[in-house]
């Protein structure tokens, strides 16, 4: 199980398509990783509206859109930017170490 303050290697940067999203597990926590160039964002991989995987959705601009009902979330803050979701999803801290993507379950501030 992951310590909330520690970073865990979850994948290689090349595993995430540029402009795309993949789902990973950090301990028992589902995490959606969104890549924009060399920047990676980590969000809780469960839509706050319908409890489905956000990693199965689409990425555009700075938004991750849920595939089921179209709820949209800002990849920087996790805040909903389009209905029907009204609750944010957690965002997590990401570090890139060489070609490795590491995630900490500590919430970003």
């Amino acid at each position: 199980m992951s310590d909330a303050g520690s970073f865990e290697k979850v994948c290689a940067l090349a595993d995430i398509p540029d402009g795309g999203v993949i789902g990973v597990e950090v301990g028992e926590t589902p995490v959606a990783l969104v890549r924009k160039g060399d920047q990676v964002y980590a969000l809780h991989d469960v839509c706050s509206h319908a409890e489905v995987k956000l990693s199965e959705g689409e990425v555009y601009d700075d938004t991750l859109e849920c595939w089921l009902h179209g709820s949209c979330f800002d990849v920087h803050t996790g805040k909903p930017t389009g209905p029907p979701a009204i609750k944010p999803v957690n965002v997590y801290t990401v570090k890139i170490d060489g070609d490795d993507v590491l995630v900490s379950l500590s919430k970003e501030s």
Side-chain angles (χ1 to χ4, degrees):
M1 185 162 241
S2 296
D3 177 8
S6 66
F7 283 87
E8 182 175 318
K9 178 184 171 189
V10 293
C11 68
L13 183 60
D15 293 338
I16 312 166
D18 193 5
V21 58
I22 66 167
V24 298
E25 298 279 328
V26 179
E28 296 179 10
T29 302
V31 176
L33 297 176
V34 175
R35 179 175 174 191
K36 298 188 74 188
D38 290 333
Q39 187 66 44
V40 176
Y41 304 93
L43 298 91
H44 190 66
D45 194 12
V46 179
C47 180
S48 62
H49 170 253
E51 295 190 16
V52 296
K53 290 185 174 206
L54 290 174
S55 60
E56 295 176 4
E58 297 290 325
V59 176
Y60 59 91
D61 299 325
D62 290 332
T63 301
L64 178 54
E65 181 178 16
C66 180
W67 64 271
L68 186 59
H69 296 121
S71 293
C72 295
F73 299 90
D74 183 298
V75 299
H76 302 276
T77 66
K79 292 180 181 175
T81 59
I86 56 172
K87 290 182 174 180
V89 294
N90 288 339
V91 292
Y92 306 110
T93 305
V94 176
K95 286 197 308 192
I96 308 297
D97 183 14
D99 189 44
D100 295 331
V101 178
L102 298 93
V103 174
S104 171
L105 293 181
S106 297
K107 292 182 191 177
E108 284 190 338
S109 44

